[in-house]
């Protein structure tokens, strides 16, 4: 499985109605730490079919970033059954990202 680009049009279906936990990555192309986290999330997406990885570009989706109160990036948000269950700010190594789940 690969990471899914999330926008306001597919948010309901891909995140809120997901039958598995969703790890959302709030990022932007100009953010250095975001570029470090991206490949790690792609690796997790490829290894773990039980988790959905969603990427939200805060520059292209300011409404979604605002809805989650995102002030700094990267921010990782774990959602289960349409509810936020965990969240972390800043770049993290793979083991710490997996621990969020």
């Amino acid at each position: 499985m690969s990471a899914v680009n999330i926008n306001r049009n597919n948010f309901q279906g891909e995140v809120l109605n997901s039958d598995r936990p969703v790890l959302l990555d709030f990022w932007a192309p100009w953010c250095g730490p975001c570029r470090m986290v991206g490949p790690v999330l792609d690796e997790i997406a490829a290894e773990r079919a039980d988790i959905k990885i969603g990427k939200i570009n805060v520059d292209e989706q300011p409404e979604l970033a605002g809805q989650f109160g995102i002030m700094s990036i990267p921010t990782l948000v774990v959602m289960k059954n349409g509810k936020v269950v965990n969240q972390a700010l800043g770049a993290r190594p793979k083991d710490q990202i997996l621990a969020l789940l």
Side-chain angles (χ1 to χ4, degrees):
M1 210 69 199
S2 61
V4 179
N5 285 318
I6 303 294
N7 57 52
R8 65 180 184 271
N9 297 325
N10 69 1
F11 182 79
Q12 178 84 32
E14 293 287 352
V15 179
L16 297 180
N17 297 337
S18 178
D19 57 351
R20 54 196 161 142
V22 182
L23 175 60
L24 294 174
D25 173 27
F26 288 87
W27 71 288
W30 48 263
C31 165
C34 298
R35 290 195 305 267
M36 291 168 34
V37 170
V40 176
L41 294 176
D42 290 339
E43 197 177 300
I44 293 170
E47 294 171 358
R48 301 276 306 263
D50 60 320
I51 300 164
K52 184 183 287 188
I53 306 286
K55 294 177 160 284
I56 299 176
N57 182 329
V58 297
D59 290 340
E60 295 174 357
Q61 301 299 322
E63 302 90 355
L64 285 176
Q67 183 178 326
F68 283 86
I70 302 301
M71 296 295 190
S72 299
I73 53 173
T75 296
L76 301 175
V77 175
V78 180
M79 297 193 65
K80 291 181 182 172
N81 302 317
K83 305 244 184 301
V84 174
V85 296
N86 210 344
Q87 131 171 12
L89 182 60
R92 306 279 168 124
K94 184 177 179 181
D95 61 331
Q96 287 184 20
I97 293 172
L98 289 170
L100 293 171
L101 301 165

